[in-house]
Amino acid sequence: MSMKVREYFKSGEAWVWMNAGAVTICLIMVVGLLGLVAVRGLGHFWPANILQAQYTDNGAVQTVIGEVYDEKVDTAQRLREAGVAIPEGQETVTRYSIKQGNRDLTGQDFRWVMATGLSKQEYPADLVRLERYEWGNLYGRLKSVKESGAEVASGPAAWAELQKRLERSNGIHEQVIAIEKGDIGRINYALENLRLDERRLELKGKLTDQARADLTARRDALNKQYEVLNQKLQTLNQDVSRDSAVFTVADGSEKELPLGKIVSALRPNEMGVLAKAAAYCRNVWAFLTDDPREANTEGGVFPAIFGTVLMVLLMTVLVTPLGVIAAVYLREYASQGIVTQTVRIAVNNLAGVPSIVYGVFGLGFFVYFLGGSIDRLFYPEAAPAPVFGTPGLLWASITLALLTLPVVIVSTEEGLSRIPRALKEGSLALGATKAETLWRVVLPMATPSIMTGVILAIARAAGEVAPLMLVGVVKLAPTLPLDGNAPFLHMERKFMHLGFHIYDVGFQSPNVEAARPLVYATAFLLVLVVAALNLSAVALRNRLREKYKALES
């Protein structure tokens, strides 16, 4: 039997099965991890039923209303050591985390309750969950709807009236956002450019009376436009604050809320599966397209998605030609001596340098030295406020291009080394110059390897956070780096990033429990974004590989 085992291992079949098993285990672990992240993250958007129960705590009876958020089983001894009164003879205790919301009334979104203290547990159909622009969710019952302080609906008719008027207030809110971010943003941008133009003319000694009059006339015209828009904003704000609704909360008190502060209102307990599925799709879409709120613990992540994709695309545009040119020189033009070998070793070592080191280098060289020099030479009118002498999209893209440059160089060199020498010599023999051979024969055949390097660069750069914290990423960017104001792409602006968003929400959030599902959801979204970018590059590489397969053969 031992001889058969030795022969089996000598044949190599055992190692094949061991490798296959290892790969299978890795795939199962990856799929399991992604599944866990997806379930914990995407499950947050499903409208959960709202529990109402009586809770007895130290003899006091309270009404608890909220969503069952988490469940834990603890030992009674551990809880007694923590100061919790647990009856003798009880070995384990089940606890529930209730998302009770109403943070402006209770001071906390969540509370832990003992399962033994709960009684009269039920799920009434009339319980309402409000998503608000501030203070998180509110749970309670709708009592009445008011217009300008006068009651217009109460009882069963109030719910339909609330939905109708809430749709109106959300429409007005969208108009307000469009004016503030669009028209007023454009005017503010133009006014700032006028201020810089005036300062520029003043520094050059060309601020004549005529030039000053022209600038004043343009500024007055913009101010008039602003006044018109401001009046429109005031009218819209009055309209959005017209309606309000009164809710009865868990302790029996009443809370009146302007509808302009409410995002949505649901009664999950009376909703069927299809209604909940529709609400789930709306919540996911809002997560993908809205701006963040409440210190990034509420709302969406669209600015972070936009910033991540834009930065990766700019990084790819920068790193690809630099990496290809460096690899071509090392392989095709440089003499293969000790100096070239030293450069190759240095390039390979750069791939192992911690990313934070690149961030420190980018902050010192690109931001302070290069950006500061650009400001002194080309933007003296902006002083003392920096333009390029501060972290921004350009420096973040260049820093990540430098970080991923070794990957592209090594991959491109590998591709160049696999091109048959006969093809190059044949091209030269037919009268082509070395440059023509390189451009028409060598580079096209090496394109799949170049794309492999780009894929690896995208995979590494998209998830980097440490260097970006130093060279451009911020917690909340008021404006996107790409907008309708010339020159449209503002390379000097700071931006948001999905990786940093995960760090900020997970570790810097003032409301950790509320933010935890968003950490999972954003992490899963980052994986999808990286996968989408990589699959696009893989599809392009495979297409190019098929195109040049005949030439390689």
Side-chain angles (χ1 to χ4, degrees), residues 42-119:
L42 299 181
H44 167 70
F45 303 108
W46 185 265
N49 288 338
I50 304 173
L51 169 70
Q52 177 180 297
Q54 299 296 316
Y55 181 60
T56 304
D57 185 16
N58 295 327
V61 180
Q62 303 172 341
T63 300
V64 176
I65 294 177
E67 302 174 14
V68 178
Y69 185 76
D70 197 2
E71 177 182 350
K72 286 185 178 180
V73 178
D74 291 321
T75 61
Q77 181 63 29
R78 177 177 176 274
L79 294 176
R80 290 191 188 101
E81 292 174 354
V84 181
I86 303 297
E88 294 296 333
Q90 198 169 346
E91 296 183 357
T92 61
V93 176
T94 301
R95 297 189 300 154
Y96 296 107
S97 175
I98 304 295
K99 185 176 182 180
Q100 62 179 0
N102 304 9
R103 190 168 72 246
D104 49 337
L105 303 175
T106 62
Q108 56 183 1
D109 272 322
F110 297 84
R111 66 177 297 184
W112 284 95
V113 297
M114 304 294 178
T116 54
L118 290 175
S119 61

Side-chain angles (χ1 to χ4, degrees), residues 283-295:
N283 291 337
V284 172
W285 179 251
F287 176 70
L288 297 175
T289 57
D290 286 352
D291 291 342
R293 308 188 305 270
E294 296 276 14

Side-chain angles (χ1 to χ4, degrees), residues 330 342-352 405-407 409-410 413:
L330 290 174
T342 303
V343 171
R344 284 199 177 94
I345 293 173
V347 169
N348 291 327
N349 288 337
L350 283 175
L405 185 62
V407 177
I409 293 176
V410 171
E413 266 209 274

Side-chain angles (χ1 to χ4, degrees), residues 23 25 122 205 395 459 500:
V23 172
I25 292 173
E122 54 184 348
W395 306 131
F500 182 77

Side-chain angles (χ1 to χ4, degrees), residues 196-215:
L196 295 177
D197 290 342
E198 184 175 11
R199 178 60 179 163
R200 187 182 301 114
L201 292 174
E202 183 180 352
L203 292 175
K204 293 180 180 180
K206 298 180 179 179
L207 189 57
T208 63
D209 293 340
Q210 180 61 40
R212 194 187 302 273
D214 291 341
L215 290 171

Side-chain angles (χ1 to χ4, degrees), residues 268-395:
N269 295 350
E270 70 174 11
M271 296 172 66
V273 175
L274 293 180
K276 287 189 175 183
Y280 176 82
C281 293
R282 288 194 299 270
N283 291 337
V284 172
W285 179 251
F287 176 70
L288 297 175
T289 57
D290 286 352
D291 291 342
R293 308 188 305 270
E294 296 276 14
N296 289 340
T297 61
E298 300 284 348
V301 292
F302 175 74
I305 299 173
F306 190 89
T308 301
V309 174
L310 183 60
M311 184 212 63
V312 170
L313 293 178
L314 289 175
M315 180 276 302
T316 304
V317 170
L318 292 170
V319 74
T320 303
L322 292 175
V324 171
I325 290 172
V328 168
Y329 176 78
L330 290 174
R331 175 60 58 178
E332 301 294 332
Y333 290 94
S335 58
Q336 303 303 311
I338 186 66
V339 176
T340 304
Q341 292 301 322
T342 303
V343 171
R344 284 199 177 94
I345 293 173
V347 169
N348 291 327
N349 288 337
L350 283 175
V353 174
S355 60
I356 190 64
V357 176
Y358 286 97
V360 173
F361 174 79
L363 180 65
F365 180 75
F366 293 134
V367 177
Y368 292 151
F369 176 73
L370 191 56
S373 300
I374 292 174
D375 283 353
R376 286 189 295 272
L377 291 174
F378 301 103
Y379 300 96
E381 67 277 2
V387 179
F388 283 96
T390 185
L393 176 63
L394 176 62
W395 306 131

Side-chain angles (χ1 to χ4, degrees), residues 168-226:
R168 170 187 173 275
S169 67
N170 285 338
I172 296 175
H173 182 76
E174 291 176 0
Q175 295 180 46
V176 170
I177 295 297
I179 292 175
E180 290 179 343
K181 286 191 172 184
D183 297 333
I184 291 182
R186 175 183 54 81
I187 291 174
N188 289 334
Y189 185 78
L191 287 172
E192 177 63 15
N193 284 337
L194 283 179
R195 185 188 69 82
L196 295 177
D197 290 342
E198 184 175 11
R199 178 60 179 163
R200 187 182 301 114
L201 292 174
E202 183 180 352
L203 292 175
K204 293 180 180 180
K206 298 180 179 179
L207 189 57
T208 63
D209 293 340
Q210 180 61 40
R212 194 187 302 273
D214 291 341
L215 290 171
T216 302
R218 291 162 60 189
R219 186 178 290 111
D220 291 342
L222 290 172
N223 285 329
K224 288 180 180 179
Q225 295 179 30
Y226 174 79

